[in-house]
Amino acid sequence: MFSPSANIAQLRESATIAVSQRARALKAAGRHIIDLGAGEPDFDTPEFIRVAAQRAIDAGATRYTAMEGILPLREAIAAEANESWTGTDRVTAGEVVVSTGSKQSLFNSCFALFGSGDEVLIPTPSWTSYYEMVALSKATVVAVMGDPAVGFKVTAAMLAAHATARTRGLMLNSPSNPTGSVYSADELRAVLTLAAERGWWVISDEIYRRIVYGAPAASAFDVSPTRDNLVVVNGVAKAYAMTGWRIGWTISPAPLAKAMTALQSHTTSNAAAVSQHAALAALTMRAEADVAIASMVAQFAKRRDAAIAILHQDPRIEVLRPDGAFYLYIRAPGAGTVADAGTVFATQLLEKADVAVVPGSAFLTPDWVRVSYAAEQSQVEEAMRRIVTAYGA
Ligand code: GLU
């Protein structure tokens, strides 16, 4: 009879994944579910990337690679980082570790950096897995609640107010999942300067950086006074519509990169060889990539605007206007009076309106729900009409 080990006794399943699994199961059972649960671009991986991967398979990319990833890919990642980082200590391939998705890179970072007795600041709401990864590392989560009036962004002062002598690190994510908020360069600089002064590790998850609707989003590399305590995490999943290829990476000081490579060598080994070659094409065939990303972002922008226009038909509906990523954060009806109003609303939407969304409790804000608009436009619009109807019901 199975009883969970102490390692995972407190672990909760991922709500973002669970919602999609449930939507998939209901679809298989014949229901016409509109799945706005997991954040996954509905686009196919651009053709130039697929072709590069096919060629790589034929050229023999079918074996183990270096644990930390193939050198040309790590060089391409370092070169991209150096477009932001202007310090004299140029980013090198030796500071890059390629993994099986930015989720693994985030886990590697938390596991390698944090431990028992450490406190880790997490601006809240944040992506559900940050909380679990920090807890799996035996460190203590310190949720720093943002202000909904400014898209739930936190300031350096708010972080400082939650810090103690045990604070060891900070999770950053701009553009943010689940709110779509984007920190300005000045906001990010203030946070990174505080972290540098205090000696905190910063794990900056920049997976949505290329999905923005206004000015480009700043990277931590653009504004951090130092790279000594900085880990930048990114990957190809979202911007290049490559979720299934599972390629992410960290850029960190070399000793930490070495430790994460060792960790990976005992857990997953190298990321899939063919996927690394696909990612290499994504990062190096710049002209093709820029066209593909611009086209996808333009479509996300259209969906965002259409969705918000429909939601605004009911003036009671409070929705954050995202500047990046592809999520709408909506305050659930009954928020403030009904316990876990987001889960109540998400359940109602799934069971009565056939729309799958993620309850805000997954992001430690139970009054809200997260809706992904990385789905076909007519589906997004239909789902919004159903949300408006359900809101008034
Ligand atoms: N990161 C996406 C999301 O938040 C994909 C699912 C997951 O890995 O959590 O929906």
Side-chain angles (χ1 to χ4, degrees):
M1 174 123 124
F2 169 67
S3 79
S5 73
N7 295 331
I8 59 157
Q10 308 299 322
L11 187 72
R12 284 160 299 191
E13 71 174 331
S14 162
T16 49
I17 304 288
V19 167
S20 300
Q21 309 264 58
R22 172 114 180 95
R24 222 171 271 151
L26 289 173
K27 275 187 198 168
R31 293 256 303 269
H32 294 285
I33 303 291
I34 303 179
D35 182 7
L36 305 184
E40 173 168 37
D42 57 313
F43 305 112
D44 289 330
T45 300
E47 192 184 359
F48 76 94
I49 299 173
R50 301 197 312 261
V51 168
Q54 285 154 9
R55 289 203 184 117
I57 293 178
D58 291 340
T62 56
R63 298 169 190 264
Y64 292 139
T65 72
M67 289 299 105
E68 65 274 32
I70 57 173
L71 184 60
L73 177 56
R74 288 183 294 115
E75 284 173 342
I77 292 164
E80 192 181 76
N82 281 320
E83 288 169 25
S84 290
W85 179 249
T86 52
T88 48
D89 54 332
R90 310 304 289 154
V91 178
T92 65
E95 294 164 300
V96 177
V97 181
V98 175
S99 77
T100 302
S102 65
K103 190 178 266 184
Q104 188 190 359
S105 296
L106 286 158
F107 179 79
N108 285 351
S109 308
C110 289
F111 210 67
L113 286 172
F114 307 137
S116 179
D118 293 335
E119 294 177 0
V120 180
L121 303 174
I122 307 187
T124 295
S126 266
W127 180 46
T128 188
S129 294
Y130 294 167
Y131 304 102
E132 299 295 334
M133 289 175 184
V134 168
L136 280 170
S137 308
K138 306 273 187 287
T140 302
V141 167
V142 177
V144 181
M145 190 57 70
D147 177 359
V150 290
F152 281 106
K153 286 190 278 190
V154 301
T155 61
M158 289 158 81
L159 294 167
H162 285 78
T164 72
R166 288 168 174 255
T167 304
R168 171 104 168 127
L170 161 69
M171 309 294 289
L172 273 186
N173 179 216
S174 172
S176 155
N177 175 6
T179 60
S181 297
V182 180
Y183 284 71
S184 71
D186 285 343
E187 289 166 339
L188 209 54
R189 184 178 294 108
V191 169
L192 284 153
T193 303
L194 173 74
E197 282 164 10
R198 303 281 178 103
W200 300 337
W201 279 96
V202 175
I203 300 177
S204 180
D205 175 357
E206 304 187 355
I207 190 74
Y208 296 100
R209 185 162 168 239
R210 296 212 55 186
I211 305 175
V212 278
Y213 309 113
S219 162
F221 286 137
D222 288 311
V223 293
S224 183
T226 168
R227 293 203 293 115
D228 287 352
N229 283 20
L230 178 62
V231 186
V232 171
V233 178
N234 210 330
V236 289
K238 311 290 184 181
Y240 302 88
M242 291 178 71
T243 47
W245 299 80
R246 311 306 307 135
I247 293 291
W249 57 80
T250 45
I251 304 168
S252 73
L256 173 57
K258 221 170 147 229
M260 292 193 288
T261 302
L263 174 61
Q264 197 160 287
S265 77
H266 291 296
T267 51
T268 55
S269 289
N270 61 271
V274 62
S275 297
Q276 293 189 58
H277 284 274
L280 177 63
L283 292 198
T284 53
M285 297 176 71
R286 295 288 285 262
E288 290 87 342
D290 288 349
V291 169
I293 292 173
S295 150
M296 290 189 272
V297 170
Q299 292 179 70
F300 288 141
K302 264 177 67 187
R303 296 169 190 179
R304 175 197 66 165
D305 293 345
I308 290 180
I310 294 169
L311 293 174
H312 279 170
Q313 286 167 6
D314 184 338
R316 292 170 304 172
I317 298 181
E318 205 180 308
V319 54
L320 303 183
R321 185 180 170 80
D323 292 321
F326 36 58
Y327 303 110
L328 294 173
Y329 219 42
I330 302 174
R331 195 153 189 262
T337 48
V338 176
D340 203 355
T343 300
V344 173
F345 192 44
T347 306
Q348 178 193 349
L349 285 174
L350 186 59
E351 302 309 334
K352 303 217 174 100
D354 285 345
V355 176
V357 304
V358 182
S361 56
F363 316 103
L364 301 198
T365 39
D367 280 344
W368 297 72
V369 294
R370 189 194 78 176
V371 176
S372 164
Y373 52 91
E376 207 269 312
Q377 172 124 6
S378 63
Q379 294 271 292
V380 172
E381 291 181 15
E382 173 58 22
M384 295 307 132
R385 286 191 281 274
R386 294 187 198 174
I387 288 175
V388 172
T389 307
Y391 199 96

